[in-house]
Amino acid sequence: MKFNATNVRASASAADLIFEALREAIFTGEIGAGEHLRQDALAEMFNTSRIPVREALSRLEQQGLVKTERYKGTTVTSLSVDEVREVFEFRALLEGEVIRYAVENMDDETIEKARRACDAFATETDSARYGELNRDFHYALYAKAERPYHLKIVSQALDRIESYLRAQLVLTDGMERARREHMGILEACIARDKERAAELTRAHILGASASLISFLETRENSK
Amino acid sequence: MKFNATNVRASASAADLIFEALREAIFTGEIGAGEHLRQDALAEMFNTSRIPVREALSRLEQQGLVKTERYKGTTVTSLSVDEVREVFEFRALLEGEVIRYAVENMDDETIEKARRACDAFATETDSARYGELNRDFHYALYAKAERPYHLKIVSQALDRIESYLRAQLVLTDGMERARREHMGILEACIARDKERAAELTRAHILGASASLISFLETRENSK
DNA sequence: TCAGATATGTTGGGATCAAATTGTTTTTGA
DNA sequence: TCAAAAACAATTTGATCCCAACATATCTGA
């Protein structure tokens, strides 16, 4: 007899929980850039020892969300405008290519799934969930590219700038524009027009980048 | 009295040293795919406790070089042919773009540095150093792209398949061909022809991929 | 024979201590 | 007085010993 394949073993370890909590806190801005994270304090906060805390911090560092210096501790990293711009540029290149692959394998089921994600994004009113629903839509399409490595890197790039992405979406026209552009991408996928889908995706990302960067720069200047 | 003969106390932390040692051992094949890594054994081997060992393993896991399952331990991951193919495909896309940026900013100093790296690669006789010198050449050019995030991802992709890359280079015509192709790329950079440099870089990577994969597949079939 | 019990080994995580390093404060000497 | 030196505090890194959770192999009894 074969046992039920439920993934009990994949249940989160303490390090997983701390990692997720910190990641989310950084994304929402609850922990601001430059802030110092002390291992002892975190261990106490999460009611564990330092061991899982260190593992979580190490993973955050690998993702570039924090930086730790020997004997000095770990701080939340802040990205410069140039760095943000570069990550968006990278995403435009990569996601454009990924959607091209995806359209090649596109089927009705995937389109249906993407349409639902698109609707969910368009009707959501809780701005805290914009980022998540935005990912849902794109990933629904990207899944069909059948390129797990590419997708992992896309995901990593999104993590790097997630907090900025969330900020961009809640800007006045960010959501409305994203809604429209998602529709366009979806239609190109339905028409199986991979070049148009790729071009729209690139434009979608670069447009968001431009709007975010102009926001960041005016904020920077007004300080 | 206990002697602590290891040079743990240099500048890198113990975890750094263990990480590097394991990484190199995996690259050279000293630790084969599927092999089991036990924390106790490693701690004893490096004359430390399990704490830095676990940190090193965690970092290796983040890079995808090993996989750990809860309460079961960590094993060296092996890539399927499809995965290897995908990483090469990814590199072709990304490195093609990176060299395009690099040519835009190209200067004589960089070309001189790349030429030296190219010569060093062409004249090296120790096959263990091929991989490193190959990286040196490409990075010398890529540096001028002034895209740190892109370069980090390139580096990460190379890490993922480093051991395969080394295997590919020591195949009979791998080195000779790489020599020729490096020359071509360098010349395109000198001519400031970014499209040709990009196309040659793509072809260089995809060619290596094709030759490696046919090698892997015949080996697979002959088993 | 084979399902269940048992033994053993490994990883996950806790607690506490020592060592190393950095930053801060206090003391000292000109 | 004030700059350099010394002492001190805070913090991270690592060691050691501990136990719990879980996996696997072996043994046992029907």
Side-chain angles (χ1 to χ4, degrees), chain A residues 9 11-13 51 54-55 58-59 62-64 70-71 86-87 89-90 93-94 97 101 146-153 156-157 160, chain B residues 9 11-13 51 54-55 58-59 62-63 69-70 72 86-87 89-90 93-94 97 101 146-153 156-157 160:
Chain A
R9 134 180 31 173
S11 67
S13 67
I51 293 179
R54 285 168 62 166
E55 195 181 322
S58 148
R59 265 190 266 175
Q62 165 71 25
Q63 294 207 350
R70 213 155 125 83
Y71 301 116
E86 191 194 342
V87 175
E89 189 181 62
F90 176 83
L93 170 69
L94 182 53
E97 186 77 358
Y101 292 134
E146 285 158 15
R147 295 288 196 288
Y149 186 76
H150 288 67
L151 290 192
K152 207 185 86 186
I153 306 293
Q156 193 176 307
R160 197 84 180 76
Chain B
R9 203 45 278 131
S11 66
S13 70
I51 291 183
R54 284 168 63 164
E55 197 180 318
S58 149
R59 266 191 265 173
Q62 286 158 28
Q63 293 207 351
E69 283 173 290
R70 220 153 121 79
K72 283 181 69 177
E86 192 195 340
V87 175
E89 189 181 62
F90 176 84
L93 170 69
L94 181 52
E97 187 77 357
Y101 292 134
E146 283 159 16
R147 295 288 195 289
Y149 186 77
H150 289 66
L151 291 192
K152 207 186 87 185
I153 305 293
Q156 193 176 308
R160 196 83 179 78

Side-chain angles (χ1 to χ4, degrees), chain B residues 77-109:
Chain B
T77 56
S78 64
L79 296 182
S80 71
V81 171
D82 279 347
E83 287 165 319
V84 172
R85 195 198 323 269
E86 192 195 340
V87 175
F88 272 94
E89 189 181 62
F90 176 84
R91 286 185 53 211
L93 170 69
L94 181 52
E95 297 186 36
E97 187 77 357
V98 165
I99 200 139
R100 198 173 282 123
Y101 292 134
V103 172
E104 284 172 8
N105 302 328
M106 193 53 63
D107 60 16
D108 292 343
E109 189 190 336

Side-chain angles (χ1 to χ4, degrees), chain B residues 99 103 106 111 141 184-193 196-197:
Chain B
I99 200 139
V103 172
M106 193 53 63
I111 285 175
L141 292 173
I185 292 168
L186 187 56
E187 276 166 24
C189 290
I190 293 170
R192 305 296 195 273
D193 183 342
R196 186 154 61 98

Side-chain angles (χ1 to χ4, degrees), chain B residues 118-119 122 137 178-188 200:
Chain B
C118 187
D119 289 346
F137 169 70
R179 272 189 256 266
R180 281 200 314 275
E181 293 176 351
H182 284 178
M183 291 294 203
I185 292 168
L186 187 56
E187 276 166 24
L200 289 175

Side-chain angles (χ1 to χ4, degrees), chain B residues 150-170:
Chain B
H150 289 66
L151 291 192
K152 207 186 87 185
I153 305 293
V154 166
S155 184
Q156 193 176 308
L158 280 169
D159 278 350
R160 196 83 179 78
I161 49 150
E162 172 87 23
S163 62
Y164 295 88
L165 211 49
R166 293 191 183 185
Q168 195 272 329
L169 282 174
V170 298

